Amino acid sequence: MTTFNLTETTASKISSTLTRLRHQMGAPAVGMVLTLVVVVDEAGQYDALRAATDAAREHPSRILMVIIRDPAESNRLDAEIRVGESAPGEVVLLRLYGELTEHADSVITPLLLTDTPVVVWWPGECPEIPAKHPIGHLGSRRIMDARSAGDAVAAISSRAGSYVPGDTDLAWTRLTPWRSLLAAAFDQPMGKITGGVVEAAAGNPSAPLLAAWLCDRLEAPIEIADSGGPGLTGVRLSIEGGGELTVSRTDARLATLSRPGNPDRRVALARRPTSELLAEELRRLDPDDIYAASIRRLAEMKGRGRA
């Protein structure tokens, strides 16, 4: 891995340096499939960069880390460029000072890979309407994480009001194994679901989103109950005529699936690191219609006081 630092630089100098470094190594940037723009503060950049780099092993990318520094300082752009034959792409850390903090899009635009998708990720605080943000406007996909908000449940509940096709949230991505398991449970015939409960640690934003998805798919009232955690711990669905379909997880690794007339089954249902969640989202660059339907249903449930 080669690291090259530029201080008080410009986007054009960064671009020419990237080209020069790649050609020196005999590895021009023809194998990269997208540009991943990560908007983060200094405190969160280490963890975000690690997750983005790990995800890029599956999706070789140009990673642009936009780190907003002090807007009161004089205008300055510092860059740290990392490339290497063993690296899954290119990494550029951009530290913006002064008025540049309000015009980060003008810095990023010349650095986007030509004819490849752009994905924007906010690991921490995100704009109220991501698609209308100058940086968010550059992306065909925009990834947020409600869990990083001060009130995570309120954050995920508000997503419907700002939704634009291409938006998604890692609170939704964390539900993929749960949704897959619950969907598979209905491969065998059973009675109509009349209601249910999603159990999770208090304040977990994935819980109301899972309840909204179930409500939308089953057309049955789904409630939310607090548990000791960690994360999601269970789903209980009442079946017409008696009996329950349940998924119970107490150790964040394995769950027990119970269905009437069937023996209990232990299944893997581990909590996943951010890098795996991000890699999953980078596999699809089209709008997620099921996520859109679920957050709309969540907004309806919130309006009726059920979430």
Side-chain angles (χ1 to χ4, degrees):
M1 174 76 71
T2 299
T3 300
F4 199 88
N5 292 298
L6 297 171
T7 58
E8 298 188 35
T9 187
T10 64
S12 61
K13 290 180 181 178
I14 296 169
S15 182
S16 61
T17 301
L18 278 168
T19 302
R20 176 172 56 82
L21 290 174
R22 273 293 176 185
H23 280 286
Q24 282 178 353
M25 300 175 61
V30 294
M32 288 179 280
V33 298
L34 59 87
T35 303
L36 176 60
V37 181
V38 186
V39 187
V40 67
D41 59 20
E42 193 69 65
Q45 64 90 9
Y46 177 83
D47 289 337
L49 179 58
R50 182 174 180 177
T53 303
D54 286 347
R57 300 189 187 284
E58 181 178 335
H59 311 276
S61 312
R62 173 172 288 178
I63 302 170
L64 303 178
M65 300 284 296
V66 181
I67 305 168
I68 304 300
R69 297 299 300 263
D70 191 351
E73 289 195 24
S74 58
N75 295 341
R76 190 170 91 244
L77 170 62
D78 295 340
E80 181 181 329
I81 302 172
R82 303 178 185 178
V83 297
E85 293 180 357
S86 60
E90 300 170 340
V91 176
V92 183
L93 280 71
L94 302 163
R95 290 181 169 86
L96 284 69
Y97 299 81
E99 294 181 3
L100 282 179
T101 60
E102 299 295 328
H103 304 283
D105 55 313
S106 65
V107 175
I108 294 168
T109 301
L111 301 176
L112 302 179
L113 291 173
T114 305
D115 298 326
T116 60
V118 177
V119 179
V120 183
W121 175 36
W122 287 272
E125 184 178 353
C126 70
E128 186 174 345
I129 305 179
K132 292 186 177 181
H133 186 272
I135 296 178
H137 182 70
L138 300 173
S140 57
R141 288 276 283 172
R142 293 161 296 276
I143 304 171
M144 290 77 73
D145 192 352
R147 195 171 70 173
S148 65
D151 187 335
V153 172
I156 196 63
S157 299
S158 69
R159 295 287 191 250
S162 63
Y163 177 79
V164 171
D167 290 354
T168 195
D169 196 292
L170 294 186
W172 172 251
T173 321
R174 292 183 182 97
L175 293 176
T176 300
W178 284 85
R179 294 191 299 118
S180 298
L181 177 59
L182 289 165
F186 283 90
D187 287 345
Q188 296 183 10
M190 66 179 70
K192 177 180 173 60
I193 300 299
T194 59
V197 177
V198 173
E199 300 167 340
N204 185 297
S206 295
L209 200 49
L210 180 58
W213 175 74
L214 287 167
C215 182
D216 190 64
R217 293 285 151 172
L218 301 173
E219 292 297 336
I222 307 295
E223 306 297 331
I224 302 161
D226 291 345
S227 71
L232 290 165
T233 56
V235 174
R236 294 185 285 112
L237 301 175
S238 300
I239 303 171
E240 189 174 48
E244 277 190 334
L245 166 66
T246 67
V247 177
S248 176
R249 182 182 72 174
T250 58
D251 62 1
R253 294 183 297 107
L254 294 172
T256 301
L257 172 65
S258 302
R259 291 175 294 188
N262 292 272
D264 291 354
R265 182 161 63 96
R266 295 282 278 174
V267 293
L269 200 61
R271 303 183 80 189
R272 298 181 293 165
T274 302
S275 57
E276 289 188 20
L277 303 175
L278 186 60
E280 178 184 327
E281 286 300 332
L282 296 181
R283 288 182 203 126
R284 62 172 304 160
L285 297 174
D286 57 319
D288 190 337
D289 295 334
I290 299 176
Y291 167 71
S294 297
I295 59 169
R296 284 195 294 266
R297 181 57 68 99
L298 177 57
E300 294 172 4
M301 292 168 63
K302 192 74 173 179
R304 294 195 297 266
R306 286 173 43 201

